[in-house]
Amino acid sequence: MENDYYQIDVPRLLQIKDQVRAGELLQYLDVVSLPHIIDDKAREEVLNRITAALPKPPPEPPKSAEEQYQAQLARMKGGG
C-alpha cells in the first residue's frame, strides 16, 4: 500500500469543502432567521431541517413486565 499512487483532484476537494461550508452557513442563517419568519409553513420547514440534522437519542431499552404494569397503573390513575 505504501508504494501505490493516488490521484487527488484538488479543485474537486476544494469544491466539496466549499459546499460543506456553504451548507453550514445556510444552517446558521436558518437558525438566526427563525424568530423573524412569519410564515408558519416556512417556520415548520426550517425546524424540520434543523431537527433532522440533530443526532438521534439511543433507543429506549425494553421495559420489564413489572415496569410496564406500573406505567399502566400510573396512566390509569392519571399520574403520567
Side-chain angles (χ1 to χ4, degrees):
M1 189 122 140
E2 59 194 38
N3 293 330
D4 289 342
Y5 292 97
Y6 296 95
Q7 189 172 15
I8 298 174
D9 188 356
V10 175
R12 179 69 181 135
L13 285 177
L14 291 174
Q15 184 181 18
I16 291 171
K17 181 183 171 204
D18 288 343
Q19 288 173 350
V20 169
R21 179 72 178 136
E24 291 171 354
L25 289 174
L26 287 174
Q27 286 180 344
Y28 177 74
L29 286 175
D30 279 346
V31 172
V32 170
S33 65
L34 183 66
H36 307 288
I37 298 174
I38 297 173
D39 183 18
D40 289 336
K41 186 176 180 183
R43 283 179 66 92
E44 177 125 0
E45 288 175 9
V46 170
L47 284 174
N48 288 340
R49 270 197 310 271
I50 293 170
T51 54
L54 296 175
K56 305 292 181 236
E60 196 173 299
K63 294 182 178 181
S64 68
E66 180 64 27
E67 289 172 325
Q68 291 178 21
Y69 175 72
Q70 292 300 328
Q72 180 66 27
L73 279 179
R75 283 193 296 273
M76 288 172 56
K77 291 179 182 177

